[in-house]
Amino acid sequence: MPVPVPQQRSVPAAETSHGDLTLLVIEDDPAGTTITVPELSAAAGTRVRIRTARNLTEAARLLTDDVDCILLDLALPLTGGGTGPSTPTADAGTSGTGTGTADSGSLAEPVSERAGELAALTHVLGIAPQHAVLALTAQDDTELAAEAVRVGAQDYLFRGELDARVLSRAIRYAVERKRADIAQHQLTESRLRAQENARLERGLLPTPLLDGSGLSFAARYRPGRSRALLGGDFYDVVRTPDGTVHAMIGDVCGHGPDEAALGVELRIAWRALTLAGLCGDELLSTLQQVLEHERQSEEIFATLCTVDIAPDGRRAGLCLAGHPAPLLARHGMPARLLPYQDGGPALGLLPRARWPRRQVELGGAWSLMMYTDGLIEGRVGTGGSERLGQDGMVAMVNSRLEQGLAGEELLEAAVAEVRELNGGELTDDVAVLLLGRDPERIRRWGGSAPRSHPASSVAGRPLGVQRPPL
């Protein structure tokens, strides 16, 4: 029986408007149609462009991106489609579809006994994964119609019930359902990709090695990129066999994933070189070589601050490579910035740069705060015309120290106040770590602190002590 579909009418692309639909009819005998284009357009409430194809080969030529829906006669023989008669497998029904509905998600099941009757449909689904498909069949073959939907068609129609209004409604329904399927599939893929990225990023986070040092440790980290766990800021802390505690914090210029990856590379390289016995100028020179080989362009550079604390915890060596100086707070004294006049340039700026190591006296009880410039570049004041700056940060920390805050509470309060002064979230990455020495605490633990625990991080909110993110 000829399929009663609208006659083909050529509509120039310039005449189409938003909301127009294009229907591709695949049937081997479109003659004798009973529905005209005006009837279909009136029933749909919008203009419908019609294309007809007598076989699958012709359909492939007419199947362009502007086609919204395909009306396929299930009785169409699988000839002229380039594959010849064959029994499709489960893969044939899923090839390239990518957006099957819940009903069509079981295509990995054994091939249906009626798969031969759905050969044309599985072929169309394979060549038109982004298009809505309507299956047309005889009225007495409900089982085949339902099987067509299970395989991947958006809906089915019976020849005996086909008229302009039914066809118009079916086209609009199929198009909207296909769009919803695609959106749901993309959302699912996005969620899975985000979960995979989060697992990958967490796998790149460091575990501070401080066992036996007697030092306390706290950290806060906030990447500037939305929904990211890693940024261009990075830090690490390790204790070498001689008892020296080495701490580092750095910042790769930029905020994208490439900068985050480079930051991870530099952090891992720093840990490896430190455990190998390098420090000071020799270590920074080697890190600069790593940066020069791994960066995407010669304009990329990184600032760095390294501190190596002597085994007795009373003195340290400081190296600055274009990075802000740490903040030192001794017991009963206000916090102050460590000297920064002898610092060297950022890594990657000068090929034969040098970074002198400066000796610093820490004292018996102290707290040392290392940070990236994201903490001090937030806006303050009316209209946000001024930066917080290092002086503002020092005053802020001292006010918190006067309130008796220390460790985790101190960092949490400091980062929260910086965001509040900025009037919202900071756009730059922020990394802050706090090392402290308390002789009384050390004595309580018999000369050493309890076992250090890795710190944890959750992007977008303050971090706890259970595993710092970089």
Side-chain angles (χ1 to χ4, degrees):
M1 176 184 296
V3 180
V5 297
Q7 296 177 347
Q8 184 173 2
R9 175 177 179 266
S10 177
V11 180
E15 294 181 13
T16 62
S17 60
H18 182 71
D20 291 356
L21 296 175
T22 299
L23 176 70
L24 174 61
V25 180
I26 309 177
E27 203 277 327
D28 61 352
D29 186 13
T33 57
T34 60
I35 302 176
T36 65
V37 172
E39 289 174 347
L40 184 60
S41 298
T46 185
R47 184 160 43 189
V48 178
R49 303 175 61 191
I50 306 299
R51 299 177 187 175
T52 59
R54 296 173 181 271
N55 52 55
L56 295 177
T57 300
E58 186 177 354
R61 290 197 303 267
L62 297 175
L63 187 61
T64 55
D65 291 338
D66 62 331
V67 172
D68 298 289
C69 186
I70 299 171
L71 178 64
L72 172 67
D73 183 6
L74 295 183
L76 184 73
L78 188 61
T79 56
T83 59
S86 63
T87 300
T89 64
D91 290 339
T94 59
S95 174
T97 58
T99 57
T101 64
D103 292 335
S104 63
S106 57
L107 296 183
E109 299 174 357
V111 178
S112 167
E113 296 179 358
R114 310 195 65 172
E117 299 177 77
L118 298 173
L121 174 61
T122 54
H123 180 82
V124 169
L125 292 174
I127 65 174
Q130 302 298 318
H131 295 79
V133 177
L134 289 171
L136 187 66
T137 186
Q139 189 168 2
D140 59 352
D141 208 344
T142 304
E143 182 180 344
L144 180 63
E147 186 72 7
V149 173
R150 191 193 71 80
V151 169
Q154 272 60 58
D155 202 354
Y156 61 85
L157 295 170
F158 294 127
R159 291 191 184 92
E161 299 178 354
L162 192 64
D163 60 27
R165 187 169 299 279
V166 171
L167 180 56
S168 299
R169 184 171 61 249
I171 293 172
R172 295 168 67 85
Y173 169 78
V175 170
E176 292 304 320
R177 182 177 179 183
K178 187 64 177 181
R179 289 172 180 171
D181 289 344
I182 293 175
Q184 180 62 41
H185 179 76
Q186 291 174 342
L187 178 60
T188 301
E189 279 194 337
S190 177
R191 287 175 176 171
L192 292 175
R193 190 178 300 113
Q195 294 173 2
E196 182 178 352
N197 290 342
R199 288 193 296 269
L200 175 62
E201 290 180 353
R202 279 192 292 268
L204 297 174
L205 307 180
T207 302
L209 304 178
L210 285 172
D211 291 345
S213 68
L215 302 182
S216 62
F217 173 83
R220 286 289 183 275
Y221 186 88
R222 300 182 67 88
R225 290 186 298 137
S226 175
R227 296 184 297 277
L229 294 180
L230 296 178
D233 291 3
F234 55 97
Y235 63 84
D236 204 353
V237 182
V238 298
R239 180 174 183 261
T240 49
D242 64 355
T244 303
V245 172
H246 302 263
M248 170 272 294
I249 192 166
D251 181 4
V252 177
C253 67
H255 310 288
D258 291 337
E259 289 75 13
L262 181 56
V264 172
E265 292 182 78
L266 292 175
R267 180 191 63 77
I268 295 174
W270 176 87
R271 174 174 285 203
L273 294 171
T274 299
L275 294 176
L278 275 67
C279 67
D281 181 75
E282 185 179 12
L283 186 149
L284 292 177
S285 297
T286 308
L287 278 182
Q288 174 157 279
Q289 295 180 42
V290 174
L291 171 67
E292 291 172 346
H293 287 293
E294 297 296 331
R295 62 186 177 183
Q296 296 295 320
S297 78
E298 294 184 357
E299 298 178 354
I300 300 296
F301 64 89
T303 66
L304 199 71
C305 170
T306 66
V307 174
D308 52 279
I309 303 170
D312 63 6
R314 302 184 65 89
R315 61 189 183 279
L318 171 66
C319 286
L320 295 176
H323 200 87
L327 189 65
L328 176 65
R330 292 192 178 96
H331 181 66
M333 301 177 61
R336 63 177 179 84
L337 293 173
L338 290 181
Y340 54 87
Q341 292 82 0
D342 296 333
L347 303 182
L349 292 183
L350 300 177
R352 288 179 292 276
R354 287 293 176 262
W355 296 271
R357 177 177 178 275
R358 186 184 187 109
Q359 190 75 12
V360 177
E361 293 297 326
L362 300 177
W366 49 264
S367 293
L368 183 68
M369 190 175 84
M370 305 170 67
Y371 54 93
T372 57
D373 59 7
L375 185 69
I376 60 177
E377 291 188 349
R379 301 288 181 175
V380 296
T382 305
S385 58
E386 301 178 1
R387 303 280 187 178
L388 175 64
Q390 287 181 295
D391 292 338
M393 180 198 64
V394 172
M396 178 187 67
V397 171
N398 279 325
S399 67
R400 297 298 180 176
L401 290 173
E402 292 174 359
Q403 298 173 10
L405 299 183
E408 288 289 326
E409 292 182 346
L410 175 62
L411 291 190
E412 185 172 347
V415 174
E417 185 171 350
V418 168
R419 291 204 310 271
E420 182 179 352
L421 292 173
N422 189 60
E425 290 296 337
L426 302 168
T427 57
D428 197 4
D429 303 330
V430 177
V432 191
L433 65 87
L434 186 66
L435 290 169
R437 183 177 188 272
D438 184 354
E440 290 297 327
R441 178 173 176 267
I442 295 175
R443 280 194 291 271
R444 286 196 302 270
W445 289 95
S448 64
R451 181 178 180 83
S452 299
H453 297 284
S456 70
S457 122
V458 177
R461 64 182 177 88
L463 309 178
V465 292
Q466 299 298 313
R467 185 178 176 91
L470 272 180

